[in-house]
Amino acid sequence: MSNAIGGDLYPITLLKTNHYFSSLFIQRAFMRIQTITSLSLTEHWNGVNTHSVAKKQGNLDGACGPYALMNALMLAGRLTEKQVTGLWASPVDRRTLFGKWSKKTHALVSDGTEIKDLVELLQGIRQKIKQLPALDLVPIKLESRQDGKMLGGLRAIQEWMDVNNQPVMANLQWNRHGAHWVVVIGSQFHERDGEYKLANLLVVDSEENAFRTQAWNGVLGLGSVDAKRLRYTVASHEASIPCDLVGAFGICQIA
């Protein structure tokens, strides 16, 4: 298989590097991309088709948290689109955890959601979907790493996905009053000094349109050498957005 770029042929080799990740190597372009193995770009591959399951939230609500959680569960292959649709469409008991959440998220979630709210929602989902295994949102330590606050946080998420092969819910902060939940599903590496080094995390953002040709619709990475904040890039903004990675939680099955 080959890909023509600027008149030259760049061989692309699909490899399975280990039990967890399948990676795309563009050999002459010195770039490597890897995603969790549950994902698929086409209906011909046995996996989750991102463009058909990732749900898009309304532009005026603050419900990125529950949307991100639902997307993460579908992208991990834990829930189907039909199950998620049924969860929100079916009548619920308002006394249960899920019932309370369903009532709240049918309207605007103007204040956004914190991780404790999403853990409560996950518990409520399991009450409704009995065959769903016991899951938890496990915090990933982002601070106190030798590679610094920005790169260290990106690497912490990438390393967690290497081991667990599951999506990660990441909390991005624009300013003191604005934050956003996204789902990290992969990583991009660039070749520097003879080795591949992490450059970006690949994310599914519920505020953005999904694409048929790639499994992600947002990129979180480093800015210029002297940048003091991370940069977040999506198709709906002409320029990348400065942000801070303030939290990350992996979806784990518990005993």
Side-chain angles (χ1 to χ4, degrees):
M1 185 187 302
S2 63
N3 183 29
I5 303 177
D8 294 327
L9 291 179
Y10 290 75
I12 298 178
T13 307
L14 293 177
L15 301 176
K16 188 160 187 176
T17 55
N18 53 48
H19 177 70
Y20 299 110
F21 272 72
S22 54
S23 301
L24 174 67
F25 290 85
I26 305 178
Q27 295 174 341
R28 289 183 61 189
F30 304 108
M31 181 177 70
R32 180 162 63 104
I33 292 174
Q34 59 187 39
T35 67
I36 54 176
T37 53
S38 61
L39 301 186
S40 172
L41 293 183
T42 73
E43 64 274 13
H44 308 297
W45 187 262
N46 185 23
V48 176
N49 294 306
T50 311
H51 64 271
S52 65
V53 300
K55 297 298 184 183
K56 185 176 181 181
Q57 71 181 91
N59 292 328
L60 296 179
D61 63 39
C64 56
Y67 272 91
L69 178 59
M70 291 298 189
N71 282 338
L73 291 172
M74 286 191 291
L75 295 169
R78 300 290 188 177
L79 293 180
T80 66
E81 182 183 21
K82 183 177 180 181
Q83 286 175 316
V84 169
T85 302
L87 278 171
W88 298 109
S90 61
V92 294
D93 187 339
R94 303 297 186 187
R95 296 169 297 179
T96 66
L97 287 175
F98 182 76
K100 295 173 183 176
W101 245 104
S102 177
K103 181 179 181 181
K104 182 166 70 172
T105 53
H106 281 164
L108 298 183
V109 186
S110 57
D111 294 330
T113 49
E114 298 180 4
I115 187 60
K116 62 180 178 60
D117 302 316
L118 298 177
V119 170
E120 182 182 31
L121 174 59
L122 182 58
Q123 294 171 351
I125 292 171
R126 189 161 179 258
Q127 289 180 356
K128 293 287 290 185
I129 309 293
K130 301 301 183 182
Q131 64 269 35
L132 187 69
L135 301 173
D136 196 8
L137 294 173
V138 179
I140 299 172
K141 186 177 180 180
L142 304 176
E143 304 85 9
S144 303
R145 292 177 58 101
Q146 292 182 347
D147 35 15
K149 178 182 177 181
M150 293 192 296
L151 180 58
L154 299 181
R155 280 183 174 166
I157 293 176
Q158 175 255 315
E159 291 167 1
W160 190 93
M161 289 193 300
D162 275 348
V163 173
N164 296 279
N165 190 30
Q166 294 292 312
V168 170
M169 294 188 59
N171 193 3
L172 309 181
Q173 189 167 29
W174 314 129
N175 51 52
R176 289 195 305 172
H177 306 290
H180 187 48
W181 287 98
V182 298
V183 183
V184 183
I185 51 87
S187 310
Q188 180 188 31
F189 301 80
H190 288 163
E191 192 277 336
R192 294 171 187 161
D193 303 322
E195 62 178 316
Y196 286 103
K197 297 183 179 181
L198 180 65
N200 298 296
L201 295 179
L202 310 175
V203 312
V204 173
D205 188 329
S206 61
E207 286 190 347
E208 300 294 319
N209 292 324
F211 300 111
R212 284 185 171 272
T213 53
Q214 65 189 46
W216 57 93
N217 58 7
V219 176
L220 176 66
L222 302 172
S224 58
V225 176
D226 58 346
K228 300 189 184 314
R229 306 183 74 191
L230 295 172
R231 308 295 299 193
Y232 184 58
T233 304
V234 289
S236 63
H237 288 73
E238 292 187 5
S240 61
I241 308 166
C243 66
D244 299 310
L245 176 61
V246 295
F249 302 86
I251 296 181
C252 270
Q253 184 169 337
I254 57 179

